[in-house]
Amino acid sequence: QVQLAESGGGLVQAGGSRRLSCAVSGRSAAMGWFRQAPGKEREFVAAIGWIDGWKKFAQSVKGRFSISRDNAKNTVYLQMNSLKPEDAAIYYCAATNHGPSDWSRVYVYDAWGQGTQVTVSS
């Protein structure tokens, strides 16, 4: 049983920055960040491997967002910079113990957090 808890969401001005955290109660092979805006499908944002530290990013956030992990604290972070109104969504962290996969797909992940709301104002 892997349990996840996101935090750090809130109101951010366009062009600003925000860091999201995901506390993990169990172990997983990889962690992902997804987001979902009203009326839209849940979309991939970024992923990271716990051991190897590999990283993957959605094209829409590449160069603006970064993902990192703190193994000692069992926490994954999503640093969001140069935020745009289009980035506003509920952000979810997810965990998986599956082998190499297309980390951008929702079905790859087994556990999900409750989400944290990120609002971007103009």
Side-chain angles (χ1 to χ4, degrees), residues 54-68:
W54 56 261
K55 299 176 181 179
K56 298 289 188 294
F57 297 93
Q59 200 65 36
S60 60
V61 304
K62 195 172 185 179
R64 298 189 298 120
F65 290 13
S66 64
I67 188 170
S68 62

Side-chain angles (χ1 to χ4, degrees), residues 8-20 35 45 60-61 63-66 78-89 91 117-122:
L11 177 62
V12 191
Q13 290 186 327
S17 300
R18 193 87 175 184
R19 189 181 75 164
L20 305 182
R35 65 188 183 187
V45 177
S60 60
V61 304
R64 298 189 298 120
F65 290 13
S66 64
L78 181 68
Q79 179 65 47
M80 305 182 294
N81 300 318
S82 301
L83 282 162
K84 304 175 181 179
E86 307 92 88
D87 295 317
Y91 282 72
Q117 178 73 55
V118 174
T119 303
V120 183
S121 63
S122 301

Side-chain angles (χ1 to χ4, degrees), residues 89-105:
I90 298 176
Y91 282 72
Y92 300 89
C93 63
T96 181
N97 280 310
H98 294 314
S101 304
D102 182 353
W103 309 108
S104 69
R105 305 303 297 271

